Amino acid sequence: MMAANLTPVEEAVAHLLTQAPVITESESLPLTECLGRTLAQDYQVPADVPPADNSAVDGYALRAQDYTEGQSLPVSDRIPAGAAPRPLEPGTAVRIFTGSEIPAGADTVIMQERVEVTDTGIRINTDVKADQNIRRQGQDLAEGTLALAKGTKIRSQEMGLLASMGVANVTVTRKMRVAVFSTGDELVDPGTPLGPGQIYNTNRFTLLGLLAEAGCEVVLCETLKDTRSVTRETLEKAAAQADLIITSGGVSVGEEDHVRAVLEESGELSLWRMAIKPGKPLAFGTINGTPVLGLPGNPAAVLVTFLVVGMPYIRTCQGRLQVHPVGQQVPAGFAVTSPSVRKEFVRARTELVDGKTLVTSYSNQSSGMLSSACWAGGLAVVPEHVTVTEGDLLTYYPFTELLS
């Protein structure tokens, strides 16, 4: 049975996504500045790509039926890339280069490695057939078709595709504005000597990196003192500036865990405690209408819960087409002998073992072990209430996919 008062992961994520307001504001940016952003509109193809038939190789263009095996075919012209070709003279070939437009009358290109240059022209050392080595007009994109849909994340390949259509400025969804707060009087910033009972603020920098990779803009970033009044005032201030507030720590059951209490007293708490390992004490609610995602305080739990819960929420707010990672099925290279009531996201990586690709786990899965995530390449999922034997198939999510 599910542990009392723990929300299953899928149910928790589904709840958050129903509460995710999609950002409708957009901006126009130069194509060079659009990497990682989300398209705010569909992009139709304005003209065929490529705009004309062109050569896929360096070689010679001709009409296939003009060539007889063993003959020497005269060369009548030379067409460099970027030049407008003259029509092919019947019974001849033309020297052509990769990307050069195919002259009218030619229907094939023979790559130069298959051609012998003679005193009278060229002799071909391969079969000559029509349509060889020609990239046809509209082969990549046909005029009037949908090239990229609204909600697509712009990667390097989307930048290239937009460029191929002549798009210089792109309409993208504005960046999601996020406020980040760490809680705890024991936290100090790197570069400051540690005093008794103090630790460095790990979670701030983990979250700043994750949010940058997620394409968000951080509008506030502070460490909260462990008082109810400061927590309330800071969250209310952030609510006026941010689309989302993310906290780390302060959502468990301790006397100094004020984030959850403030949401209950001054806002709304709609989710608390999730059946996930690591990261059980996770909270979600609102303050002054602004969503608040309260992550656990342990460093590895912050990373895992952000990736599993926070990223689908952010993608939904960004209007992304792909909200959930797909994952891959990989045989386990480790065993789990004691089933858990919580779904476990194991810091793991794929390795080649005896010729087989297996997903192997870090030896210490403590929620405080952030070094495990540096060793790992992603997260392997061990469902609740199951044991794992080596060789069992597990769902594995590479970090690159969890953050894509």
Side-chain angles (χ1 to χ4, degrees), residues 44-52 137-138 140-145 164-166:
Q44 308 286 338
V45 182
D48 287 339
V49 179
Q137 178 177 340
D140 191 7
L141 298 170
E143 181 179 354
T145 60
S164 75
M165 297 189 295

Side-chain angles (χ1 to χ4, degrees), residues 8-91:
V9 174
E10 292 81 4
E11 183 179 325
V13 173
H15 170 72
L16 260 68
L17 299 195
T18 64
Q19 307 299 307
V22 178
I23 297 169
T24 57
E25 298 95 334
S26 64
E27 58 183 335
S28 179
L29 293 178
L31 181 56
T32 52
E33 299 176 15
C34 289
L35 184 65
R37 303 296 292 272
T38 303
L39 288 178
Q41 66 175 52
D42 291 342
Y43 276 85
Q44 308 286 338
V45 182
D48 287 339
V49 179
D53 295 349
N54 69 85
S55 179
V57 298
D58 291 346
Y60 294 84
L62 58 140
R63 190 171 67 160
Q65 69 182 53
D66 287 346
Y67 186 76
T68 302
E69 185 177 355
Q71 79 173 103
S72 181
L73 200 65
V75 177
S76 61
D77 204 354
R78 181 179 185 276
I79 307 171
R86 293 185 292 270
L88 177 69
E89 294 181 19

Side-chain angles (χ1 to χ4, degrees), residues 80-244:
R86 293 185 292 270
L88 177 69
E89 294 181 19
T92 72
V94 296
R95 181 74 166 110
I96 200 166
F97 300 89
T98 303
S100 296
E101 187 173 331
I102 302 296
D107 62 9
T108 192
V109 175
I110 308 301
M111 65 175 61
Q112 63 187 23
E113 293 86 346
R114 302 296 185 184
V115 172
E116 176 187 351
V117 179
T118 69
D119 292 339
T120 57
I122 59 169
R123 186 174 292 111
I124 299 171
N125 301 316
T126 188
D127 293 336
V128 177
K129 298 177 291 186
D131 294 323
Q132 293 180 101
N133 301 314
I134 294 178
R135 296 186 288 224
R136 293 297 181 187
Q137 178 177 340
Q139 173 181 296
D140 191 7
L141 298 170
E143 181 179 354
T145 60
L146 178 65
L148 295 170
K150 177 182 177 180
T152 298
K153 181 179 179 180
I154 303 173
R155 302 168 296 172
S156 304
Q157 48 267 53
E158 279 78 25
M159 290 179 68
L161 196 69
L162 289 163
S164 75
M165 297 189 295
V167 178
N169 292 282
V170 187
T171 303
V172 297
T173 303
R174 73 154 172 84
K175 284 192 174 185
M176 188 173 182
R177 296 186 286 262
V178 182
V180 178
F181 299 114
S182 309
T183 66
D185 290 338
E186 75 279 13
L187 300 177
V188 297
D189 288 338
T192 303
L194 290 178
Q198 293 182 327
I199 59 173
Y200 288 120
N201 189 347
T202 302
N203 295 335
R204 169 189 288 185
F205 297 92
T206 299
L207 287 170
L208 287 176
L210 289 167
L211 289 166
E213 291 190 80
C216 298
E217 176 187 357
V218 175
V219 293
L220 283 174
C221 183
E222 299 178 10
T223 300
L224 301 181
K225 294 297 182 182
D226 281 331
T227 69
R228 190 73 52 88
S229 60
V230 168
T231 300
R232 179 182 296 106
E233 291 169 6
T234 306
L235 293 182
E236 289 177 345
K237 177 181 70 173
Q241 302 178 48
D243 301 303
L244 172 66

